[in-house]
Structures are given as C-alpha cells and as structure tokens.
Amino acid sequence: EAVAEALDAARPLGEERRLRLEFAHGLEEVTVSADRDRLHQVLMNLLSNAIRFSPPEGRVWVEVAREGEGLVRTDVCDEGEGIPEEEQARIFEKFHQVSPGPGGKRTGSGLGLAIAKSLIELQGGRIWVQSSPGRGSRFSFTLPAMPGT
C-alpha cells in the first residue's frame, strides 16, 4: 500500500517528463514494521530523484521482495544517467550532490538521500545504491518484516 500511494503521489511529476511509473511487485504481499509517514517520505525522496534524473519517456519502477529471513527489500530504479562509482559512497552525506555531466547543473539541496538514510536506519534498516554511468540507478533499502508475515 505504501509503495502504491507514493507512486500515485509522484505520478504528476512523472507525467510532466512523460515517464512510465511502475510497481513491479510479486504475487506475495509483504508487510514491513515501519512508521508509515517516514516510509512515505523515503519513497518520495527516492522517486523524485529517479524522476528528476531520468530521460523523458523513460521508466521509473519500484520492486518489493523478501530479503532473507525477516527483511523486506524495496528497490527504486531508473534509466537515468547513473552515478559515477567514486561518488556512490558519498551521496548519502548531507549536502553532497553528484557532479553534473557535461553541460549539466546541480539540482536540489543535497539533503534528500541523507534524510532517507537516517529514516531507514532509525527503523532498523539499511540503504544503498547500485549504479553505472549511462545505465541508471537502483536505490535499495531494507526494513524489518512485520512479525508473522
């Protein structure tokens, strides 16, 4: 439900850039033990970044799956320009912004990913990125699964 709500909230931003926003979920419903408002904030930070850095008419999607025993992993993926490997370790630091490509400019405050990291860690999870220049990015986070689900 939280992912579907965040995608609905982000849809107008995606439509402005003619992006397809998709929820690629499996048949199994998973539930996390988390603060709903904070989870929504994390998802919106990640989705707005994915939308901002994706090319027009591209795709942004969210995947949710069990991750081992007692965890749920959520991935927010895009087809954007990607993040250079040397910057990936720093993007979760306050005020850090990825260096723009040729002719590009920096956007945002550099706080969204730092806030997302803090909110995920406070709820017992972790967050990371996998990215390659020219191949997009996959921001992933885990949260504890709700006991009994």
Side-chain angles (χ1 to χ4, degrees), residues 13-78:
L13 293 171
E15 288 173 355
E16 286 178 22
R17 299 187 46 84
R18 300 182 315 278
L19 296 171
R20 291 187 330 270
L21 272 59
E22 300 174 358
F23 185 11
H25 57 87
L27 298 175
E28 178 184 31
E29 184 171 314
V30 293
T31 305
V32 296
S33 178
D35 179 292
R36 188 179 188 92
D37 291 338
R38 301 295 69 88
L39 177 57
H40 183 80
Q41 185 176 358
V42 168
L43 288 166
M44 289 305 297
N45 281 345
L46 296 177
L47 284 167
S48 64
N49 281 349
I51 290 167
R52 183 179 323 132
F53 294 107
S54 290
E57 303 196 20
R59 180 172 79 118
V60 171
W61 68 100
V62 180
E63 299 174 1
V64 177
R66 289 196 181 278
E67 175 88 358
E69 193 65 32
L71 293 175
V72 174
R73 188 190 73 245
T74 302
D75 302 313
V76 177
C77 311
D78 66 60

